[in-house]
């Protein structure tokens, strides 16, 4: 019975931490999550896993998360209601698995520390209620790690495949996991790991005509070596904020057996994120799925140090961090934005939600916009994504230096050729009318995010072909939309 207490404690504490973060963010799913939501709804209703019905573009980075959300639509729950519940369950399950991994390596105390440490990490606890696939990815990575510790090659292979279907970066964990087994088990592990991924790869190419998701292309296309440099900076930020975990991982690399396997998982995953070039979300989101394994390493390495004062210092640190676990000081526990940036994402989503509801009353037509998730999901309209997450052509345009990851593509010529009926550049309702110069100033101020919109809005051909309309909605607010001239 004593062995079940640390994993239970880890699951409960992570659940409470996730709900705490959810309350801070008003349990709002982020705009990017709605991209997957809409593809899941379309899949459930027989229109394929596409953002725009009939437009075969893989806009969801996580095929497994999309499939699970599609099932929730089939049973009449829906992604919007189901995603926070599933996110918390996956996060709690990953915490329990991290605790069990730590117990395998360092015993009962390590298991307790791993669960507590993971719950206290904002980079883990902030994601479960946002609709993102981070908790699912972390769950399957931790499960594959535990299967490797227990010498179960078939289970490890299947769980590795699930992890790679949850987050594409997990695909690089294959060598780290295969080396955990003796050579006689390699064929069994490889078969269970690669057959599901090969099936997905062939199905993806048969349906979408591509070998990788369009979102990956949109975020990596044209970066070259500059993407690696940006990725190194991204991982460096994580390393500075989680220095003790990084040191523990480096120490585990020089140990044999389980500790080295878990450390290699972390290192290989970080290498994949370096190649990706990072992203613009706070708390170095792309590295968050490997945090359960990182906490298991940290806890097991702490208890392995044969000095009682170290254990005492770890306990004191835990108490100190727990003491400051309050909203006003929460954002001080990191060096890269944190809660304020998450709050910006929440506010953006809520603003776009109100705009999407107003767009329902507009005449039929395609909308060119950057904040595509909520608008597409709630309005049901065909969307022309100005930064290419759901558009194959724009995703493959040259990289725009200085723009945010995932927002560094655009093609005004192509958009004008597509002739969308509407264009929205300011995805929010305003108190009063907005002039063209006001709109330009808004886009200029946030050029890293709205670069593609700014270039299109400033194009003389666009201004000749489209007319701005200030629309007043029922509560007296305004929103600005450009309408193509007939």
């Amino acid at each position: 019975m004593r062995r079940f207490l640390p994993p239970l404690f880890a699951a409960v504490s992570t659940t409470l931490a996730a709900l705490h973060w959810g309350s801070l963010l008003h349990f709002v799913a982020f705009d990017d999550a709605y991209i997957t939501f809409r593809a899941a709804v379309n899949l459930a209703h027989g229109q394929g896993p596409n953002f725009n019905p009939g437009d075969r573009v893989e806009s969801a980075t996580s095929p497994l998360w999309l499939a699970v959300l599609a099932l929730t639509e089939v049973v009449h729950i829906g992604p919007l209601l189901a995603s926070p519940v599933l996110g918390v369950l996956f996060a709690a399950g990953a915490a329990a698995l991290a605790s069990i991994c730590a117990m395998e390596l360092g015993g009962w105390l390590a298991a307790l520390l791993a669960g507590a440490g993971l719950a206290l990490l904002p980079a883990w606890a902030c994601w479960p209620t946002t609709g993102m696939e981070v908790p699912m990815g972390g769950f399957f990575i931790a499960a594959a790690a535990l299967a490797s510790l227990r010498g179960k090659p078939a289970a490890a292979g299947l769980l590795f495949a699930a992890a790679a279907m949850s987050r594409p970066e997990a695909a690089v964990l294959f060598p780290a996991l295969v080396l955990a087994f003796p050579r006689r088990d390699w064929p069994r592990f490889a078969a269970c790991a690669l057959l599901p991924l090969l099936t997905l790869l062939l199905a993806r190419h048969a349906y979408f005509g591509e070998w990788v998701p369009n979102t990956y292309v949109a975020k990596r296309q044209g970066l070259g070596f500059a993407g690696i440099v940006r990725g190194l900076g991204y991982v460096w930020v994580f390393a500075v904020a989680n220095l003790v975990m990084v040191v523990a991982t480096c120490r585990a690399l020089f140990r044999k057996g389980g500790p080295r396997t878990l450390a290699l998982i972390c290192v290989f995953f970080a290498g994949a994120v370096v190649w990706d070039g990072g992203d613009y979300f706070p708390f170095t989101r792309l590295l968050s799925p490997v945090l359960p394994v990182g906490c298991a390493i940290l806890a097991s390495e702490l208890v392995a140090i044969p000095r009682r004062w170290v254990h005492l210092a770890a306990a004191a640190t835990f108490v100190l961090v727990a003491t400051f676990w309050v909203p006003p000081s929460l954002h001080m526990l990191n060096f890269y934005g944190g809660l304020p940036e998450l709050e910006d994402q929440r506010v953006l989503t809520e603003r776009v939600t109100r705009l999407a509801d107003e767009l329902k009353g507009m005449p039929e037509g395609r909308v060119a916009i950057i904040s595509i998730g909520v608008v597409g999901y709630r309005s049901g309209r065909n969307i022309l994504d100005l930064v290419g997450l759901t558009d194959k052509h724009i995703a493959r345009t040259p990289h725009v230096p200085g723009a945010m990851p995932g927002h560094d593509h655009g093609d005004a010529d192509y958009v004008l050729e597509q002739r969308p009926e509407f264009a929205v550049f300011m995805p929010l309702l305003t108190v009063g009318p907005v002039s063209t110069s006001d709109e330009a100033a808004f886009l200029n101020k946030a050029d890293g995010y709205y670069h593609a919109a700014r270039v299109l809005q400033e194009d003389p051909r666009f201004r000749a072909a489209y007319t701005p309309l200030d629309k007043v909605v029922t509560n007296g607010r305004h929103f600005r939309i450009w309408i193509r001239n007939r």
Side-chain angles (χ1 to χ4, degrees), residues 209-222:
E210 304 291 343
W211 295 108
V212 296
N214 190 71
T215 47
Y216 175 81
V217 177
K219 294 179 180 179
R220 192 61 180 80
Q221 175 73 19

Side-chain angles (χ1 to χ4, degrees), residues 194-443:
L194 298 181
L195 284 178
L197 291 183
L198 181 61
T199 301
L200 172 66
L201 197 65
L202 294 175
R204 169 182 288 146
H205 191 268
Y207 186 82
F208 295 109
E210 304 291 343
W211 295 108
V212 296
N214 190 71
T215 47
Y216 175 81
V217 177
K219 294 179 180 179
R220 192 61 180 80
Q221 175 73 19
L223 281 175
F225 184 72
I228 297 176
V229 173
R230 190 168 73 181
L232 286 170
Y234 186 84
V235 173
W236 172 254
V237 169
F238 174 89
V240 171
N242 301 275
L243 185 59
V244 179
M245 184 184 296
V246 172
V247 171
T249 301
C250 292
R251 186 174 186 271
L253 282 172
F254 296 97
R255 294 163 65 96
K256 295 181 179 180
R260 179 182 293 178
T261 298
L262 266 59
L264 286 174
I265 288 174
C266 294
V267 171
F268 279 44
F269 195 89
V273 172
V274 169
W275 173 259
D276 286 347
D279 72 355
Y280 68 90
F281 279 103
F283 292 124
T284 49
R285 175 186 70 104
L286 290 184
L287 285 162
S288 294
V290 84
L291 283 175
V293 175
C295 283
I297 294 172
L298 173 59
S300 61
E301 290 298 316
L302 277 177
V303 299
I305 300 175
R307 294 183 179 88
R308 291 184 177 179
W309 64 267
V310 174
H311 299 165
L312 182 62
T317 302
F318 173 83
V319 172
L320 182 64
V321 172
T323 301
F324 285 94
W325 185 251
V326 291
S329 61
L330 198 56
H331 63 281
M332 298 173 63
L333 301 178
N334 66 86
F335 303 97
Y336 38 91
L339 182 59
E341 290 191 12
L342 288 174
E343 182 70 11
D344 289 344
Q345 289 294 322
R346 177 190 69 80
V347 171
L348 171 66
T349 301
E350 290 180 339
R351 287 175 173 174
V352 177
T353 298
R354 292 191 287 270
L355 173 67
D357 291 340
E358 297 301 332
L359 282 173
K360 292 178 184 178
M362 297 292 293
E364 291 296 319
R366 194 179 191 190
V367 179
I369 191 171
I370 285 182
S371 301
I372 65 170
V374 176
V375 170
Y377 181 82
R378 293 185 70 92
S379 73
R381 289 179 173 274
N382 188 285
I383 301 294
L384 175 54
D385 179 8
L386 293 177
V387 294
L389 294 175
T390 63
D391 188 285
K392 289 184 179 182
H393 173 83
I394 294 180
R396 287 158 177 79
T397 57
H399 163 70
V400 178
M404 290 183 177
H407 290 253
D408 47 3
H409 294 276
D411 190 336
D413 294 337
Y414 170 79
V415 174
L416 290 170
E417 289 173 4
Q418 294 296 303
R419 303 180 75 239
E421 282 74 17
F422 307 103
V424 176
F425 300 131
M426 292 181 64
L428 70 159
L429 303 183
T430 57
V431 175
V434 175
S435 66
T436 300
S437 59
D438 291 336
E439 185 178 57
F442 171 87
L443 297 175

